[in-house]
Amino acid sequence: MKLFSKLTLVATSLALSFTAVNQQPADATTMKYAFTVNSSILSGTGSFNFDDSNFSNEPIPTAPVQLLNFAFNNDPQTVYTQEDDFDYPTLGPIVFPTVAGNSSIGLSYLFNNKIDSASSYEIAGYDFIVSNQTFNDAVSYTPIPEPATLVGTLTVCSIAWLTSRKVKLAKKDA
């Protein structure tokens, strides 16, 4: 009987934590992604944000990037942003859905080298292009979870750990 009341308490706590944490509007979310470029010539890391409610109604929908930061590993002090895109501010870097690969989105970002403007770079989905040389599957994407998701996960794991600890103590005492 005592175990049943503890399980009821745990189930109620889990339900309340999911309810309290999941207060995001269902129609729009700012999505955050980290991306890595890894080619035989250059490599680097970056991140970008976009609002998933801003996807266009075109055959291949696109959404503008709100915030983008990228740096090559060999020059981490030089940071490229959305404002470095060739089409900024008219269009700037965009995000588009993909049907192949490990990620559901891809990035289109075309920019010049800040030190040598004769060199240009492009991130086109999974491809990285340096001037006229293309490196296929050189770009990978990883979603960055929202803080609320992390809080909910930590809450559930903590409750589960405490419950298992109490059950072990109860068995030990019996």
Side-chain angles (χ1 to χ4, degrees):
M1 188 69 172
K2 210 173 187 184
L3 182 63
F4 179 73
S5 64
K6 288 182 180 182
L7 287 176
T8 304
L9 177 65
V10 169
T12 304
S13 299
L14 287 173
L16 288 174
S17 71
F18 284 129
T19 303
V21 169
N22 203 5
Q23 294 291 329
Q24 301 172 2
D27 56 339
T29 304
T30 298
M31 306 296 292
K32 299 176 184 178
Y33 277 82
F35 66 99
T36 303
V37 173
N38 193 8
S39 72
S40 59
I41 296 176
L42 291 168
S43 60
T45 58
S47 64
F48 62 90
N49 301 353
F50 70 96
D51 187 342
D52 70 346
S53 67
N54 288 339
F55 275 110
S56 63
N57 291 326
E58 299 169 5
I60 299 175
T62 61
V65 170
Q66 296 172 335
L67 180 65
L68 184 142
N69 292 301
F70 176 73
F72 289 110
N73 292 343
N74 65 341
D75 186 14
Q77 292 82 18
T78 305
V79 177
Y80 297 89
T81 68
Q82 68 276 7
E83 294 177 6
D84 295 312
D85 190 277
F86 283 176
D87 295 327
Y88 188 84
T90 310
L91 182 61
I94 58 170
V95 176
F96 56 91
T98 62
V99 292
N102 296 329
S103 179
S104 60
I105 57 96
L107 177 66
S108 177
Y109 181 44
L110 180 62
F111 57 103
N112 274 335
N113 186 315
K114 288 186 175 184
I115 298 167
D116 177 15
S117 61
S119 298
S120 66
Y121 308 110
E122 182 177 4
I123 296 172
Y126 295 106
D127 298 336
F128 180 61
I129 303 162
V130 179
S131 296
N132 292 326
Q133 190 174 5
T134 301
F135 299 93
N136 295 321
D137 295 325
V139 183
S140 60
Y141 302 93
T142 307
I144 300 172
E146 291 290 322
T149 305
L150 295 175
V151 169
T153 302
L154 286 173
T155 302
V156 169
C157 289
S158 298
I159 291 171
W161 178 74
L162 288 171
T163 303
S164 69
R165 200 168 157 217
K166 286 183 179 184
V167 168
K168 286 180 184 177
L169 287 173
K171 285 182 181 179
K172 193 176 187 182
D173 290 342

